[in-house]
Amino acid sequence: MSAAMPFTGFPIDRAGLKRREAEWIAGRLADPGSDLILLQAGQPVLEMQAAADGSRALLRLSASALGALPDGVPTVFLGLEGDGRAVFAASLPRRFDLETSPLAGLGEPAEMRAAAAGILVGGELALAATAKDLFDWHERHGFCARCGAASEIAEAGWKRVCPSCGAEHFPRTDPVAIMLPVRGDQCFLARNAQRFPRGFVSALAGFIEPGETVEEACAREVMEEAGLRVLSSRIVSNQPWPFPSQLMIGLLAEVAEGDAVLDLDELAEGFWFTRDEARALLSPQGLSFDGVTWRAPPPLAIAHHLITAWIDAQT
Amino acid sequence: MSAAMPFTGFPIDRAGLKRREAEWIAGRLADPGSDLILLQAGQPVLEMQAAADGSRALLRLSASALGALPDGVPTVFLGLEGDGRAVFAASLPRRFDLETSPLAGLGEPAEMRAAAAGILVGGELALAATAKDLFDWHERHGFCARCGAASEIAEAGWKRVCPSCGAEHFPRTDPVAIMLPVRGDQCFLARNAQRFPRGFVSALAGFIEPGETVEEACAREVMEEAGLRVLSSRIVSNQPWPFPSQLMIGLLAEVAEGDAVLDLDELAEGFWFTRDEARALLSPQGLSFDGVTWRAPPPLAIAHHLITAWIDAQT
């Protein structure tokens, strides 16, 4: 699963125990032999040159490039390469103009979803997504939720501590259940009322709530959003999803007979598709009906892989 | 899985869409026909009387009992019974003395883990754990992490909003990978250096980090804590775990040949056990060696079910 699923396959040793060694971290950050990748407002900075297949690597600088960046840019320690090199990420301020900086011409920021669609691939994408998650979290958690004081980055970017009340805060990852309702030779896909234009359908999804198993969240969401009763479900895959910091847990959900009754605030319309139709939805041509050409999510998204898993399960 | 796993099997309709209807919620809370359960400092308040099997139910009061509680106790909406009755939970302040209140003699708080070991069973336990998760979250998140202002409870206890910057905050659930390393006819269990006395071993576990799949977190933790290389792993079960607000995702992890090398800050000692030995560890008698009688987690914990799943997979 990991090889084909975007955002998975983190390529280096996270070396989590090193995060607590503040002196060691400071030394690696000051070492020109350490690597530095850059993000700007959550967008990974890529090399200018593309490979023959159109893919592009993350711009890798020496950590000494930190000297060319504004003072106090947030940095996080991502881990160690096989040869012992430390890898850090720095988050450029939104207003920082890369093109008029000493780093001009070396790289450019790319929107993460666009980059994830075949430009930034494999472990490079996992590195960038992990850094994005951490910087997103720091940006939204500058204050202590327990006492309201400004909190501080600690443990090489993997923790925040409150100097006032002493509370420790750790990066947040929200588990989400994402599921494909299936019945006999058909699967159910729906168009999200807020996010999708006509012509695009996907699996159902929702946050796993306190006190729920993955399967309970799956059954609740399928009933809430589509009015379908789940008879049984099974987890088939999972994916870290940095928009922001989610862990998508994918299930196939066998549902009982009965018509779908949509929560129209969530879902604008929903349809049952056969395996052949689902295959067409995933193809570049799409599937035409109601005067529109319909498509389902690209391989970027776990929903694509859920649909594929269901198609393949029967063939 | 759900039936046997403690903290699962939430027994009522969460009716999540109703949470946003503030007027409806206020009406239900003022309705003596609505139910109220109580927690105090995270401990569920149980009926005084035990059933013949030793189990005890949550104390269920009419929502009118709120009049006997201090002004402004936090409440959350848990959902709707099949007959349409709304169910709320209220969190009693630590210093509130139930015994000298108008509710004296009706119920008493019980420590959650003790209650979960056969006293509070099935859906009652899931209700209490969900309420505990929400109250724990409110207690630790009184301030806006984005701007530091005091935030306010919204959506019947399922959200907090910041009156200053407008940020919305939702209950946090931390996904955790918990895994049993296995190799041939043996499984690996270890004693946690901080939490377990000699004589108690369990599975390995760790938080799933940003940018990781469940399987990647499993492999990383097994390497970090025990120095064992995971060849493959599969998710076999999951459990909400309210100490506090975790989602435990359980895996069996096939590991490569090679000796375990423990991170002694985490694990004090670890051992390989055959299926017969693992069965003994789970039994009331335990397994004696090194002059100590060793045991593994009780059915309360997903680790118990992981070990059982591994034992059963071969028989």
Side-chain angles (χ1 to χ4, degrees), chain A residues 1 7-10 14 16-17 19 130 133-134 140-148 158 170-173 175 208-216 220 224 235 238 240 247 249 263, chain B residues 1 7-10 14 16-17 19 130 133-134 140-148 158 170-173 175 208-216 220 224 235 238 240 247 249 263:
Chain A
M1 179 198 92
F7 302 115
T8 71
F10 194 81
R14 290 179 175 238
L17 301 179
R19 297 170 192 160
T130 300
D133 275 350
L134 290 168
R140 290 176 294 136
H141 294 78
F143 296 83
C144 176
R146 200 168 79 176
C147 79
W158 291 84
F170 294 90
R172 173 172 173 148
T173 298
I208 298 172
E209 294 189 346
E212 279 186 327
T213 62
V214 180
E215 292 83 359
E216 286 177 312
R220 176 182 54 73
E224 271 180 23
I235 297 172
N238 64 92
L247 174 65
I249 305 178
D263 169 11
Chain B
M1 182 198 89
F7 301 114
T8 71
F10 193 81
R14 288 179 176 237
L17 301 178
R19 296 170 192 160
T130 299
D133 275 350
L134 290 167
R140 290 176 294 137
H141 294 78
F143 295 84
C144 176
R146 199 167 81 177
C147 80
W158 292 85
F170 293 91
R172 171 171 175 150
T173 298
I208 298 172
E209 293 190 345
E212 279 186 328
T213 62
V214 180
E215 292 83 359
E216 287 177 312
R220 177 181 53 74
E224 272 180 21
I235 298 172
N238 64 92
L247 175 64
I249 304 178
D263 169 12

Side-chain angles (χ1 to χ4, degrees), chain B residues 228-262:
Chain B
L228 294 166
R229 190 161 60 84
V230 173
L231 299 172
S232 69
S233 64
R234 69 184 172 90
I235 298 172
V236 295
S237 53
N238 64 92
Q239 179 192 38
W241 184 247
F243 305 109
S245 302
Q246 298 172 7
L247 175 64
M248 310 292 282
I249 304 178
L251 307 98
L252 295 181
E254 188 73 34
V255 298
E257 291 299 317
D259 291 337
V261 181
L262 304 187

